[in-house]
Amino acid sequence: MPVPRTLAYGYFTPVRTLSATALLLLACGFAGGCADSSSRPSGAGAPPSVLGGPDPVVLRVARSGGTVSAYAYPALDSVLWKSSSRAPALDRVIAFGPDDGYLAAIDTGGAPVRLDLRLGGVAAERKIAVAAVSSADGGALYALTSTGELTRFTPSGGDWSFQPPLPASALFAQGDGSLIVAGVRGDRLLVWRVRPPGQSVADSISYPLHGDAAAVATALPATAGTVGDRVFFSANETVVVVRKSDMKTAQEIDLGDPVTAIVATPSGDRLFVALAGDRSLRILDRFENGLSGKIRLPSPVSELRMDPLGRVLLARAAADTVYVVSLASDAVQGVVRSAWRGDLPLVLPDGAIALARDADVVFADATTLADARTITGGTKDFWHVLRWNGFRPRSAGLDEPVRFRNSAPRDPVGYADSMASGDSISGVITPPTGADTLRSSAAAGAVRGTATGTATGIATGTATPPPRGSRSDSAAGMQFTVSFAALLDEKAARALVATIRVDGQAPRITTSDRSGRTLYRVVLGPYGTREEADRVGRASAHSYWVFRGAP
């Protein structure tokens, strides 16, 4: 049936943490059109541009297993990187940690898999049968075993297990290292938190069930999820939202029909719910504390998939029919044809949608949904897209001998790629002499381009900023990060974090490996302009330097 043409306007989504993906939400805008599969034009318009930020990367591996290849999107004809180990046949990706470069996935046998995108290694945990897997950072994998035991696998091996006193069906790893678990016992839905390496339930909450308890337990993994500061579940016809901070009920809404699928926007502010046999999606809004509207669909849908940038929602209908829903207008943008797999259809960084059509992967244009590009034989591969700067060429300065302060300056671009390429003195990493901007706010009237550490173990050094000329520093796509220190001691880094707070925000610690040692970087940002980054640095009352790019 024809679908009315709609126009989707860009919008901004609030975020709570500045992960590599979440940064892009602040600049996310999307324009959409509509065309069903029988009325698409033969060609597509000008291709949408890829938004700025970390590099858009497409990972591909044979669906039967093999070497993982990375491509810099949209250049899919040139391999950027290959893994040194073979990956098993993958079913879906569950988490990615940009700091350490770990990608967590589940293979077609249900076993957890960890890919190390820095070293190219692949590890699969097949020692025990698992029923559910979760990860927050790609590194630590949490699993529910077939015997009901909770266990954690880290890159160094399995280091924690727990036999819960309550039956579990679904689990959600949290960024703080805790684990939120859900299950059904008798006529109640149970939600609780475990804090490894502890051996007890830390917090819990329960809800009465109305209907078949066994059906709720079976459906929990597919009708539950976590995002931001909330975790959500369905119990037959009821949707329950729980705050992670205090394990209290945030929302509890009876929708009148059994829930078949739930998905959240990247910010977690809205939930989209599909009901059995219903030709519409219900919208639950955290700010309105209840239902805020419906999205009419041509037919009922069974599964939902969210665009990582929150521009569109994909809804699986009968056969190979997929509805594309614009989240800017809350209306169906159009209809595309694709098989529904663990990886495809997939929304790409520029808004195009990768579709599985027989043996080929076809890209649907972001605006018109017309067929814009075909990857012949592409469906034989498993596809995944991420944003990461880790595949950039290694800075030449990292392979050079140590240069002290009287050495010739290095190109500041190399420092932007890896701020750890400076001198190392007694466990302190000092900024290289080519650093973009280095200032000390600890001493009034300090000369621009100099800084002195304010505590033992904090980075010190000198730098001369490059000439700015008449061009604005807020050029399109440019970002600036405030760095306070790059240390070899985690405790010192955390102690420094505790002393800095600007605009209610504390710095975060990013890590990287340098010559077999872990480097802990204390940073704020990135910011859209140099001026804003400088303002934050001055307001911190600590020594700092500003470099171009994101950490």
Side-chain angles (χ1 to χ4, degrees), residues 6 31 148 173 180 191 200 221 234 301 382 406 448 454 496 503:
T6 61
I180 293 180
V191 184
S200 62
S234 74
V301 296
F382 177 92
N406 58 356
R448 177 182 177 87
T454 59
L496 178 59
D503 300 334

Side-chain angles (χ1 to χ4, degrees), residues 10 38 154 220 254 289 346 496:
S38 63
T154 64
L220 263 181
D254 188 348
N289 198 31
L346 173 68
L496 178 59

Side-chain angles (χ1 to χ4, degrees), residues 5-7 30-35 45-46 48 333 350-352 364-370:
R5 177 177 294 274
T6 61
L7 182 64
F30 177 76
C34 171
Q333 177 183 329
D350 58 1
D365 182 84
T367 303
T368 66
L369 300 185

Side-chain angles (χ1 to χ4, degrees), residues 3 28 39 46 72 74 120 138 180 209 254 270 285 322 338 408 524 540:
V3 181
C28 178
S39 61
I180 293 180
L209 291 177
D254 188 348
R270 296 199 296 170
D285 193 302
V322 177
S338 173
L524 271 173
S540 72

